[in-house]
Short mmCIF file of all heavy atoms in Angstrom, two decimals:
data_model
loop_
_atom_site.label_atom_id
_atom_site.label_comp_id
_atom_site.label_asym_id
_atom_site.label_seq_id
_atom_site.Cartn_x
_atom_site.Cartn_y
_atom_site.Cartn_z
N MET U 1 7.84 7.98 -27.69
CA MET U 1 7.17 8.10 -26.38
C MET U 1 7.30 6.79 -25.65
O MET U 1 6.97 5.73 -26.17
CB MET U 1 5.72 8.50 -26.56
CG MET U 1 4.93 8.52 -25.31
SD MET U 1 3.25 9.16 -25.60
CE MET U 1 2.97 9.94 -24.08
N GLN U 2 7.69 6.86 -24.39
CA GLN U 2 7.84 5.64 -23.56
C GLN U 2 6.50 5.29 -22.95
O GLN U 2 5.71 6.14 -22.52
CB GLN U 2 8.86 5.94 -22.48
CG GLN U 2 9.14 4.75 -21.60
CD GLN U 2 10.22 5.07 -20.56
OE1 GLN U 2 10.62 6.22 -20.42
NE2 GLN U 2 10.62 4.09 -19.90
N SER U 3 6.18 3.99 -23.00
CA SER U 3 4.93 3.58 -22.33
C SER U 3 5.26 2.85 -21.02
O SER U 3 6.31 2.24 -20.90
CB SER U 3 4.09 2.66 -23.23
OG SER U 3 4.55 1.34 -23.12
N PHE U 4 4.36 2.96 -20.06
CA PHE U 4 4.59 2.41 -18.74
C PHE U 4 3.52 1.37 -18.49
O PHE U 4 2.38 1.49 -18.81
CB PHE U 4 4.53 3.47 -17.66
CG PHE U 4 5.66 4.46 -17.77
CD1 PHE U 4 5.45 5.66 -18.39
CD2 PHE U 4 6.83 4.19 -17.20
CE1 PHE U 4 6.48 6.59 -18.51
CE2 PHE U 4 7.90 5.07 -17.28
CZ PHE U 4 7.76 6.28 -17.93
N ARG U 5 3.92 0.28 -17.84
CA ARG U 5 3.03 -0.79 -17.47
C ARG U 5 2.91 -0.86 -15.95
O ARG U 5 3.91 -1.04 -15.31
CB ARG U 5 3.56 -2.13 -18.02
CG ARG U 5 2.62 -3.29 -17.83
CD ARG U 5 3.20 -4.56 -18.42
NE ARG U 5 4.42 -4.90 -17.77
CZ ARG U 5 4.56 -5.98 -16.99
NH1 ARG U 5 3.58 -6.76 -16.78
NH2 ARG U 5 5.75 -6.21 -16.41
N PRO U 6 1.74 -0.70 -15.40
CA PRO U 6 1.57 -0.78 -13.93
C PRO U 6 2.07 -2.15 -13.41
O PRO U 6 1.85 -3.16 -14.08
CB PRO U 6 0.09 -0.58 -13.66
CG PRO U 6 -0.50 -0.22 -15.01
CD PRO U 6 0.46 -0.54 -16.08
N VAL U 7 2.63 -2.14 -12.27
CA VAL U 7 3.07 -3.38 -11.66
C VAL U 7 2.03 -3.93 -10.63
O VAL U 7 2.14 -5.02 -10.12
CB VAL U 7 4.46 -3.27 -11.00
CG1 VAL U 7 5.50 -2.98 -12.04
CG2 VAL U 7 4.45 -2.24 -9.91
N TYR U 8 1.04 -3.11 -10.37
CA TYR U 8 -0.03 -3.56 -9.45
C TYR U 8 -1.35 -3.03 -10.02
O TYR U 8 -1.53 -1.82 -10.29
CB TYR U 8 0.15 -3.00 -8.03
CG TYR U 8 -0.89 -3.45 -7.09
CD1 TYR U 8 -0.99 -4.76 -6.67
CD2 TYR U 8 -1.84 -2.54 -6.59
CE1 TYR U 8 -1.95 -5.22 -5.80
CE2 TYR U 8 -2.81 -2.99 -5.71
CZ TYR U 8 -2.87 -4.27 -5.31
OH TYR U 8 -3.84 -4.72 -4.46
N SER U 9 -2.33 -3.88 -10.27
CA SER U 9 -3.53 -3.50 -10.97
C SER U 9 -4.57 -2.79 -10.11
O SER U 9 -5.47 -2.16 -10.57
CB SER U 9 -4.18 -4.73 -11.62
OG SER U 9 -4.52 -5.68 -10.59
N GLY U 10 -4.48 -2.95 -8.76
CA GLY U 10 -5.37 -2.34 -7.86
C GLY U 10 -5.11 -0.82 -7.63
O GLY U 10 -4.08 -0.32 -8.02
N TYR U 11 -6.04 -0.17 -6.99
CA TYR U 11 -5.84 1.23 -6.62
C TYR U 11 -4.79 1.30 -5.47
O TYR U 11 -4.97 0.60 -4.44
CB TYR U 11 -7.17 1.84 -6.11
CG TYR U 11 -7.10 3.29 -5.80
CD1 TYR U 11 -7.43 4.26 -6.79
CD2 TYR U 11 -6.66 3.78 -4.57
CE1 TYR U 11 -7.31 5.59 -6.52
CE2 TYR U 11 -6.61 5.11 -4.30
CZ TYR U 11 -6.94 6.01 -5.23
OH TYR U 11 -6.84 7.39 -5.01
N PHE U 12 -3.74 2.05 -5.64
CA PHE U 12 -2.68 2.12 -4.66
C PHE U 12 -1.96 3.47 -4.79
O PHE U 12 -0.94 3.57 -5.48
CB PHE U 12 -1.66 0.99 -4.91
CG PHE U 12 -0.84 0.70 -3.72
CD1 PHE U 12 -1.32 0.05 -2.61
CD2 PHE U 12 0.50 1.05 -3.70
CE1 PHE U 12 -0.53 -0.26 -1.47
CE2 PHE U 12 1.33 0.78 -2.65
CZ PHE U 12 0.82 0.11 -1.52
N ALA U 13 -2.54 4.51 -4.19
CA ALA U 13 -2.03 5.85 -4.32
C ALA U 13 -0.96 6.15 -3.30
O ALA U 13 -0.89 5.55 -2.21
CB ALA U 13 -3.15 6.81 -4.18
N ASP U 14 -0.12 7.10 -3.64
CA ASP U 14 0.94 7.61 -2.69
C ASP U 14 1.80 6.56 -2.10
O ASP U 14 1.97 6.49 -0.86
CB ASP U 14 0.34 8.49 -1.60
CG ASP U 14 -0.57 9.61 -2.19
OD1 ASP U 14 -0.08 10.24 -3.18
OD2 ASP U 14 -1.66 9.83 -1.66
N PRO U 15 2.34 5.64 -2.86
CA PRO U 15 3.06 4.50 -2.28
C PRO U 15 4.43 4.96 -1.69
O PRO U 15 5.06 5.81 -2.11
CB PRO U 15 3.32 3.55 -3.47
CG PRO U 15 3.34 4.46 -4.65
CD PRO U 15 2.37 5.56 -4.34
N PHE U 16 4.80 4.18 -0.67
CA PHE U 16 6.12 4.24 -0.04
C PHE U 16 6.65 2.85 -0.08
O PHE U 16 6.00 1.95 0.39
CB PHE U 16 6.08 4.83 1.33
CG PHE U 16 7.44 4.83 2.01
CD1 PHE U 16 8.33 5.88 1.71
CD2 PHE U 16 7.86 3.82 2.84
CE1 PHE U 16 9.61 5.88 2.31
CE2 PHE U 16 9.10 3.83 3.48
CZ PHE U 16 9.95 4.84 3.19
N VAL U 17 7.84 2.63 -0.62
CA VAL U 17 8.43 1.26 -0.75
C VAL U 17 9.79 1.23 0.02
O VAL U 17 10.56 2.18 -0.03
CB VAL U 17 8.68 0.93 -2.25
CG1 VAL U 17 9.28 -0.44 -2.38
CG2 VAL U 17 7.38 1.02 -3.01
N TRP U 18 9.98 0.12 0.71
CA TRP U 18 11.26 -0.15 1.36
C TRP U 18 11.63 -1.59 1.24
O TRP U 18 10.79 -2.43 0.90
CB TRP U 18 11.21 0.32 2.84
CG TRP U 18 10.44 -0.59 3.71
CD1 TRP U 18 10.81 -1.59 4.51
CD2 TRP U 18 9.00 -0.50 3.96
NE1 TRP U 18 9.83 -2.18 5.22
CE2 TRP U 18 8.67 -1.50 4.88
CE3 TRP U 18 7.99 0.33 3.44
CZ2 TRP U 18 7.37 -1.73 5.32
CZ3 TRP U 18 6.70 0.10 3.90
CH2 TRP U 18 6.40 -0.88 4.82
N ARG U 19 12.94 -1.89 1.48
CA ARG U 19 13.45 -3.27 1.36
C ARG U 19 13.95 -3.67 2.69
O ARG U 19 14.60 -2.95 3.41
CB ARG U 19 14.56 -3.34 0.32
CG ARG U 19 15.05 -4.76 0.13
CD ARG U 19 16.15 -4.78 -0.91
NE ARG U 19 17.39 -4.32 -0.19
CZ ARG U 19 18.54 -4.11 -0.78
NH1 ARG U 19 18.69 -4.27 -2.05
NH2 ARG U 19 19.58 -3.73 -0.09
N HIS U 20 13.61 -4.94 3.04
CA HIS U 20 14.09 -5.55 4.30
C HIS U 20 14.38 -7.02 3.98
O HIS U 20 13.51 -7.74 3.51
CB HIS U 20 13.02 -5.41 5.39
CG HIS U 20 13.41 -6.12 6.68
ND1 HIS U 20 14.44 -5.65 7.45
CD2 HIS U 20 12.99 -7.23 7.27
CE1 HIS U 20 14.60 -6.44 8.48
NE2 HIS U 20 13.70 -7.42 8.39
N ASP U 21 15.63 -7.45 4.22
CA ASP U 21 16.04 -8.83 3.96
C ASP U 21 15.69 -9.28 2.54
O ASP U 21 15.07 -10.36 2.38
CB ASP U 21 15.46 -9.77 5.02
CG ASP U 21 16.00 -9.60 6.40
OD1 ASP U 21 17.16 -9.03 6.49
OD2 ASP U 21 15.41 -9.97 7.41
N ASP U 22 15.96 -8.51 1.57
CA ASP U 22 15.74 -8.85 0.16
C ASP U 22 14.28 -9.03 -0.24
O ASP U 22 13.94 -9.67 -1.23
CB ASP U 22 16.55 -10.08 -0.25
CG ASP U 22 18.02 -9.83 -0.20
OD1 ASP U 22 18.46 -8.67 -0.50
OD2 ASP U 22 18.79 -10.75 0.15
N VAL U 23 13.39 -8.49 0.55
CA VAL U 23 11.95 -8.43 0.26
C VAL U 23 11.53 -6.98 0.29
O VAL U 23 11.94 -6.21 1.12
CB VAL U 23 11.13 -9.24 1.28
CG1 VAL U 23 9.61 -9.12 1.01
CG2 VAL U 23 11.56 -10.70 1.35
N TYR U 24 10.72 -6.56 -0.71
CA TYR U 24 10.21 -5.22 -0.84
C TYR U 24 8.81 -5.15 -0.23
O TYR U 24 7.99 -6.04 -0.45
CB TYR U 24 10.24 -4.76 -2.29
CG TYR U 24 11.59 -4.72 -2.91
CD1 TYR U 24 12.09 -5.82 -3.55
CD2 TYR U 24 12.37 -3.57 -2.75
CE1 TYR U 24 13.34 -5.78 -4.14
CE2 TYR U 24 13.62 -3.52 -3.34
CZ TYR U 24 14.14 -4.64 -4.01
OH TYR U 24 15.38 -4.56 -4.54
N TYR U 25 8.53 -4.08 0.45
CA TYR U 25 7.23 -3.81 1.07
C TYR U 25 6.78 -2.44 0.60
O TYR U 25 7.62 -1.53 0.44
CB TYR U 25 7.34 -3.82 2.57
CG TYR U 25 7.73 -5.22 3.11
CD1 TYR U 25 9.03 -5.50 3.36
CD2 TYR U 25 6.78 -6.17 3.40
CE1 TYR U 25 9.45 -6.73 3.86
CE2 TYR U 25 7.15 -7.44 3.84
CZ TYR U 25 8.49 -7.71 4.09
OH TYR U 25 8.85 -8.92 4.56
N ALA U 26 5.48 -2.30 0.40
CA ALA U 26 4.94 -1.03 0.05
C ALA U 26 3.68 -0.76 0.87
O ALA U 26 2.94 -1.67 1.18
CB ALA U 26 4.58 -1.00 -1.47
N VAL U 27 3.56 0.49 1.21
CA VAL U 27 2.36 0.91 1.93
C VAL U 27 1.77 2.13 1.14
O VAL U 27 2.50 2.92 0.64
CB VAL U 27 2.65 1.29 3.41
CG1 VAL U 27 3.57 2.46 3.54
CG2 VAL U 27 1.35 1.54 4.16
N GLY U 28 0.46 2.15 1.05
CA GLY U 28 -0.20 3.26 0.25
C GLY U 28 -1.62 3.35 0.56
O GLY U 28 -2.19 2.57 1.37
N THR U 29 -2.30 4.29 -0.05
CA THR U 29 -3.69 4.58 0.14
C THR U 29 -4.46 3.62 -0.78
O THR U 29 -4.21 3.60 -1.99
CB THR U 29 -4.05 5.99 -0.15
OG1 THR U 29 -3.24 6.87 0.65
CG2 THR U 29 -5.49 6.29 0.14
N GLY U 30 -5.38 2.88 -0.22
CA GLY U 30 -6.19 1.96 -1.03
C GLY U 30 -7.51 2.59 -1.49
O GLY U 30 -7.83 3.75 -1.12
N ALA U 31 -8.31 1.87 -2.20
CA ALA U 31 -9.59 2.36 -2.76
C ALA U 31 -10.50 2.75 -1.67
O ALA U 31 -11.27 3.70 -1.78
CB ALA U 31 -10.17 1.28 -3.67
N ALA U 32 -10.56 1.99 -0.56
CA ALA U 32 -11.46 2.29 0.50
C ALA U 32 -11.22 3.65 1.13
O ALA U 32 -12.17 4.44 1.40
CB ALA U 32 -11.43 1.19 1.62
N GLU U 33 -9.92 4.02 1.34
CA GLU U 33 -9.61 5.31 1.85
C GLU U 33 -10.01 6.42 0.87
O GLU U 33 -10.52 7.49 1.24
CB GLU U 33 -8.11 5.44 2.14
CG GLU U 33 -7.63 4.60 3.32
CD GLU U 33 -7.10 3.28 2.88
OE1 GLU U 33 -7.37 2.81 1.79
OE2 GLU U 33 -6.34 2.66 3.65
N GLU U 34 -9.77 6.16 -0.42
CA GLU U 34 -10.07 7.11 -1.46
C GLU U 34 -11.59 7.43 -1.50
O GLU U 34 -12.00 8.55 -1.69
CB GLU U 34 -9.56 6.67 -2.81
CG GLU U 34 -9.66 7.65 -3.93
CD GLU U 34 -11.01 7.61 -4.67
OE1 GLU U 34 -11.61 6.54 -4.73
OE2 GLU U 34 -11.38 8.66 -5.18
N GLN U 35 -12.39 6.38 -1.20
CA GLN U 35 -13.82 6.53 -1.28
C GLN U 35 -14.39 7.00 0.08
O GLN U 35 -15.60 7.18 0.23
CB GLN U 35 -14.45 5.25 -1.73
CG GLN U 35 -14.09 4.83 -3.14
CD GLN U 35 -14.53 3.46 -3.42
OE1 GLN U 35 -15.11 2.72 -2.62
NE2 GLN U 35 -14.18 2.98 -4.62
N GLY U 36 -13.52 7.15 1.11
CA GLY U 36 -13.96 7.56 2.40
C GLY U 36 -14.66 6.48 3.16
O GLY U 36 -15.47 6.76 4.08
N ASP U 37 -14.40 5.21 2.86
CA ASP U 37 -15.07 4.09 3.46
C ASP U 37 -14.07 3.01 3.88
O ASP U 37 -14.23 1.88 3.53
CB ASP U 37 -16.13 3.51 2.50
CG ASP U 37 -16.97 2.46 3.14
OD1 ASP U 37 -17.18 2.51 4.35
OD2 ASP U 37 -17.49 1.59 2.40
N ALA U 38 -13.07 3.44 4.64
CA ALA U 38 -12.00 2.47 5.00
C ALA U 38 -12.40 1.53 6.12
O ALA U 38 -11.72 0.56 6.39
CB ALA U 38 -10.71 3.29 5.37
N GLY U 39 -13.50 1.81 6.79
CA GLY U 39 -13.91 0.93 7.91
C GLY U 39 -12.89 1.02 9.01
O GLY U 39 -12.39 2.06 9.38
N GLY U 40 -12.49 -0.15 9.54
CA GLY U 40 -11.60 -0.18 10.69
C GLY U 40 -10.10 -0.28 10.36
O GLY U 40 -9.28 -0.16 11.21
N ARG U 41 -9.74 -0.53 9.07
CA ARG U 41 -8.37 -0.70 8.71
C ARG U 41 -8.00 0.29 7.64
O ARG U 41 -8.77 0.61 6.75
CB ARG U 41 -8.12 -2.12 8.21
CG ARG U 41 -8.52 -3.23 9.17
CD ARG U 41 -7.63 -3.28 10.40
NE ARG U 41 -6.31 -3.73 10.05
CZ ARG U 41 -5.30 -3.81 10.87
NH1 ARG U 41 -5.48 -3.56 12.12
NH2 ARG U 41 -4.13 -4.21 10.47
N VAL U 42 -6.74 0.82 7.69
CA VAL U 42 -6.29 1.78 6.68
C VAL U 42 -4.88 1.51 6.25
O VAL U 42 -4.11 0.82 6.91
CB VAL U 42 -6.37 3.24 7.21
CG1 VAL U 42 -7.80 3.66 7.46
CG2 VAL U 42 -5.57 3.40 8.53
N PHE U 43 -4.50 2.05 5.14
CA PHE U 43 -3.18 1.96 4.52
C PHE U 43 -2.82 0.49 4.09
O PHE U 43 -2.25 -0.27 4.87
CB PHE U 43 -2.09 2.53 5.41
CG PHE U 43 -2.26 3.99 5.72
CD1 PHE U 43 -2.54 4.38 6.99
CD2 PHE U 43 -2.21 4.93 4.71
CE1 PHE U 43 -2.71 5.73 7.26
CE2 PHE U 43 -2.39 6.26 4.97
CZ PHE U 43 -2.68 6.67 6.27
N GLN U 44 -3.23 0.21 2.91
CA GLN U 44 -2.96 -1.11 2.32
C GLN U 44 -1.47 -1.41 2.20
O GLN U 44 -0.63 -0.54 1.93
CB GLN U 44 -3.57 -1.18 0.89
CG GLN U 44 -3.49 -2.49 0.23
CD GLN U 44 -4.20 -2.48 -1.11
OE1 GLN U 44 -4.74 -1.53 -1.56
NE2 GLN U 44 -4.14 -3.64 -1.74
N MET U 45 -1.06 -2.67 2.42
CA MET U 45 0.33 -3.08 2.31
C MET U 45 0.47 -4.16 1.26
O MET U 45 -0.40 -4.98 1.06
CB MET U 45 0.85 -3.63 3.63
CG MET U 45 1.05 -2.59 4.67
SD MET U 45 1.99 -3.18 6.11
CE MET U 45 3.57 -3.49 5.37
N LEU U 46 1.63 -4.13 0.52
CA LEU U 46 1.94 -5.05 -0.50
C LEU U 46 3.33 -5.60 -0.25
O LEU U 46 4.15 -4.93 0.43
CB LEU U 46 1.96 -4.39 -1.89
CG LEU U 46 0.68 -3.69 -2.33
CD1 LEU U 46 0.93 -2.99 -3.69
CD2 LEU U 46 -0.49 -4.61 -2.41
N ARG U 47 3.62 -6.82 -0.78
CA ARG U 47 4.93 -7.45 -0.67
C ARG U 47 5.41 -7.93 -2.00
O ARG U 47 4.65 -8.40 -2.78
CB ARG U 47 4.75 -8.61 0.29
CG ARG U 47 6.03 -9.44 0.55
CD ARG U 47 5.69 -10.64 1.41
NE ARG U 47 6.86 -11.33 1.90
CZ ARG U 47 7.52 -12.26 1.16
NH1 ARG U 47 7.07 -12.59 0.01
NH2 ARG U 47 8.57 -12.79 1.66
N SER U 48 6.75 -7.84 -2.24
CA SER U 48 7.28 -8.26 -3.56
C SER U 48 8.75 -8.72 -3.35
O SER U 48 9.46 -8.18 -2.52
CB SER U 48 7.26 -7.15 -4.57
OG SER U 48 7.90 -7.50 -5.78
N VAL U 49 9.15 -9.69 -4.11
CA VAL U 49 10.59 -10.09 -4.14
C VAL U 49 11.32 -9.59 -5.35
O VAL U 49 12.55 -9.69 -5.43
CB VAL U 49 10.72 -11.62 -4.00
CG1 VAL U 49 10.26 -12.07 -2.65
CG2 VAL U 49 10.05 -12.35 -5.13
N ASP U 50 10.55 -9.02 -6.33
CA ASP U 50 11.19 -8.65 -7.60
C ASP U 50 10.75 -7.23 -8.09
O ASP U 50 11.14 -6.85 -9.19
CB ASP U 50 10.89 -9.67 -8.71
CG ASP U 50 9.40 -9.85 -8.91
OD1 ASP U 50 8.55 -9.04 -8.42
OD2 ASP U 50 9.06 -10.77 -9.68
N LEU U 51 9.98 -6.49 -7.38
CA LEU U 51 9.47 -5.16 -7.70
C LEU U 51 8.56 -5.19 -8.92
O LEU U 51 8.17 -4.17 -9.43
CB LEU U 51 10.61 -4.19 -7.99
CG LEU U 51 11.41 -3.76 -6.75
CD1 LEU U 51 12.56 -2.82 -7.14
CD2 LEU U 51 10.50 -3.02 -5.72
N ALA U 52 8.17 -6.40 -9.42
CA ALA U 52 7.28 -6.52 -10.53
C ALA U 52 5.96 -7.20 -10.17
O ALA U 52 4.92 -6.96 -10.69
CB ALA U 52 7.98 -7.24 -11.67
N THR U 53 6.04 -8.14 -9.21
CA THR U 53 4.85 -8.89 -8.80
C THR U 53 4.61 -8.58 -7.30
O THR U 53 5.45 -8.80 -6.49
CB THR U 53 5.13 -10.41 -8.93
OG1 THR U 53 5.52 -10.69 -10.29
CG2 THR U 53 3.87 -11.24 -8.63
N TRP U 54 3.42 -8.06 -7.08
CA TRP U 54 3.09 -7.60 -5.72
C TRP U 54 1.90 -8.41 -5.18
O TRP U 54 0.91 -8.64 -5.84
CB TRP U 54 2.69 -6.13 -5.75
CG TRP U 54 3.92 -5.24 -6.04
CD1 TRP U 54 4.37 -4.86 -7.30
CD2 TRP U 54 4.81 -4.73 -5.08
NE1 TRP U 54 5.47 -4.06 -7.14
CE2 TRP U 54 5.80 -4.03 -5.80
CE3 TRP U 54 4.94 -4.75 -3.73
CZ2 TRP U 54 6.84 -3.35 -5.17
CZ3 TRP U 54 5.98 -4.14 -3.09
CH2 TRP U 54 6.92 -3.42 -3.81
N THR U 55 1.98 -8.78 -3.92
CA THR U 55 0.98 -9.56 -3.23
C THR U 55 0.42 -8.73 -2.07
O THR U 55 1.16 -8.24 -1.25
CB THR U 55 1.59 -10.86 -2.60
OG1 THR U 55 2.22 -11.62 -3.69
CG2 THR U 55 0.58 -11.72 -1.95
N PRO U 56 -0.90 -8.61 -2.01
CA PRO U 56 -1.52 -7.82 -0.94
C PRO U 56 -1.30 -8.56 0.44
O PRO U 56 -1.35 -9.73 0.51
CB PRO U 56 -3.03 -7.84 -1.27
CG PRO U 56 -3.10 -8.12 -2.76
CD PRO U 56 -1.89 -9.02 -3.06
N MET U 57 -1.07 -7.73 1.45
CA MET U 57 -0.82 -8.24 2.79
C MET U 57 -1.90 -7.79 3.78
O MET U 57 -1.86 -8.11 4.94
CB MET U 57 0.55 -7.73 3.30
CG MET U 57 1.73 -8.22 2.56
SD MET U 57 3.28 -7.58 3.26
CE MET U 57 3.18 -8.19 4.93
N GLY U 58 -2.87 -7.00 3.37
CA GLY U 58 -3.82 -6.47 4.29
C GLY U 58 -3.52 -4.99 4.62
O GLY U 58 -2.73 -4.33 3.86
N SER U 59 -4.08 -4.52 5.67
CA SER U 59 -3.91 -3.15 6.07
C SER U 59 -2.87 -3.00 7.15
O SER U 59 -2.67 -3.89 7.99
CB SER U 59 -5.25 -2.59 6.56
OG SER U 59 -6.15 -2.61 5.50
N ALA U 60 -2.24 -1.79 7.20
CA ALA U 60 -1.12 -1.58 8.10
C ALA U 60 -1.62 -1.06 9.48
O ALA U 60 -1.00 -1.39 10.49
CB ALA U 60 -0.17 -0.50 7.51
N LEU U 61 -2.68 -0.36 9.54
CA LEU U 61 -3.14 0.29 10.77
C LEU U 61 -4.64 0.14 11.00
O LEU U 61 -5.39 -0.08 10.04
CB LEU U 61 -2.78 1.78 10.76
CG LEU U 61 -1.36 2.20 10.64
CD1 LEU U 61 -1.26 3.70 10.45
CD2 LEU U 61 -0.58 1.75 11.87
N THR U 62 -5.01 0.30 12.24
CA THR U 62 -6.40 0.37 12.64
C THR U 62 -6.79 1.83 12.66
O THR U 62 -6.08 2.66 13.23
CB THR U 62 -6.66 -0.25 13.98
OG1 THR U 62 -6.25 -1.60 13.91
CG2 THR U 62 -8.11 -0.20 14.38
N ALA U 63 -7.90 2.18 12.01
CA ALA U 63 -8.37 3.60 11.98
C ALA U 63 -8.74 4.07 13.38
O ALA U 63 -9.23 3.28 14.20
CB ALA U 63 -9.56 3.74 11.04
N LEU U 64 -8.44 5.34 13.67
CA LEU U 64 -8.88 5.89 14.95
C LEU U 64 -10.34 6.13 14.99
O LEU U 64 -11.01 6.33 13.99
CB LEU U 64 -8.13 7.26 15.12
CG LEU U 64 -6.63 7.21 15.33
CD1 LEU U 64 -6.07 8.63 15.34
CD2 LEU U 64 -6.30 6.43 16.58
N HIS U 65 -10.86 6.12 16.20
CA HIS U 65 -12.30 6.41 16.42
C HIS U 65 -12.59 7.86 16.00
O HIS U 65 -11.72 8.74 16.22
CB HIS U 65 -12.60 6.22 17.89
CG HIS U 65 -14.06 6.29 18.20
ND1 HIS U 65 -14.73 7.47 18.42
CD2 HIS U 65 -14.99 5.30 18.28
CE1 HIS U 65 -16.01 7.25 18.62
NE2 HIS U 65 -16.20 5.90 18.58
N PRO U 66 -13.71 8.13 15.38
CA PRO U 66 -14.04 9.50 14.92
C PRO U 66 -13.96 10.55 16.05
O PRO U 66 -13.71 11.76 15.75
CB PRO U 66 -15.48 9.39 14.44
CG PRO U 66 -15.65 7.97 14.07
CD PRO U 66 -14.79 7.20 15.07
N ASP U 67 -14.07 10.21 17.29
CA ASP U 67 -13.99 11.15 18.41
C ASP U 67 -12.57 11.79 18.46
O ASP U 67 -12.42 12.89 19.08
CB ASP U 67 -14.30 10.54 19.73
CG ASP U 67 -15.75 10.21 19.89
OD1 ASP U 67 -16.57 10.69 19.10
OD2 ASP U 67 -16.09 9.46 20.84
N TYR U 68 -11.57 11.22 17.82
CA TYR U 68 -10.24 11.79 17.83
C TYR U 68 -10.04 12.88 16.81
O TYR U 68 -8.99 13.44 16.70
CB TYR U 68 -9.17 10.66 17.64
CG TYR U 68 -9.09 9.77 18.82
CD1 TYR U 68 -9.56 8.42 18.81
CD2 TYR U 68 -8.52 10.22 20.01
CE1 TYR U 68 -9.44 7.65 19.86
CE2 TYR U 68 -8.42 9.40 21.12
CZ TYR U 68 -8.89 8.11 21.07
OH TYR U 68 -8.80 7.28 22.13
N GLY U 69 -11.06 13.14 15.99
CA GLY U 69 -10.97 14.23 15.03
C GLY U 69 -11.10 13.77 13.59
O GLY U 69 -11.05 12.57 13.33
N ASP U 70 -11.28 14.73 12.70
CA ASP U 70 -11.39 14.41 11.29
C ASP U 70 -10.03 14.28 10.65
O ASP U 70 -9.03 14.92 11.09
CB ASP U 70 -12.12 15.54 10.58
CG ASP U 70 -13.61 15.58 10.98
OD1 ASP U 70 -14.15 14.58 11.44
OD2 ASP U 70 -14.21 16.66 10.95
N ALA U 71 -9.99 13.53 9.59
CA ALA U 71 -8.70 13.35 8.86
C ALA U 71 -8.46 14.53 7.96
O ALA U 71 -9.26 15.26 7.60
CB ALA U 71 -8.78 12.08 7.99
#
């Protein structure tokens, strides 16, 4: 049986990864979104040069005001 080692220890669901100028970026759902308490920022972003070590970059978007509808 093959074992897997996570490359990021935090909560990071549904990731999407792309490469730009030899740097990898990932965007995904963070713990705050999962708990329904994202506040004003959503979709956590990470950065890596080797796909093994990831550095948090903050959030990608500002959440819409609730008047625009439910998620």
Side-chain angles (χ1 to χ4, degrees):
M1 175 176 211
Q2 183 177 7
S3 85
F4 294 95
R5 185 177 64 109
V7 295
Y8 182 69
S9 63
Y11 185 93
F12 198 75
D14 305 318
F16 177 81
V17 179
W18 71 97
R19 185 180 75 185
H20 177 71
D21 291 338
D22 295 325
V23 177
Y24 296 93
Y25 297 91
V27 63
T29 304
E33 290 95 340
E34 189 271 330
Q35 295 169 4
D37 187 27
R41 305 291 293 177
V42 293
F43 300 113
Q44 184 177 0
M45 288 192 66
L46 305 174
R47 178 184 190 277
S48 176
V49 294
D50 60 8
L51 290 175
T53 306
W54 292 89
T55 303
M57 295 179 61
S59 298
L61 298 172
T62 301
L64 293 175
H65 188 276
D67 289 347
Y68 289 109
D70 293 332

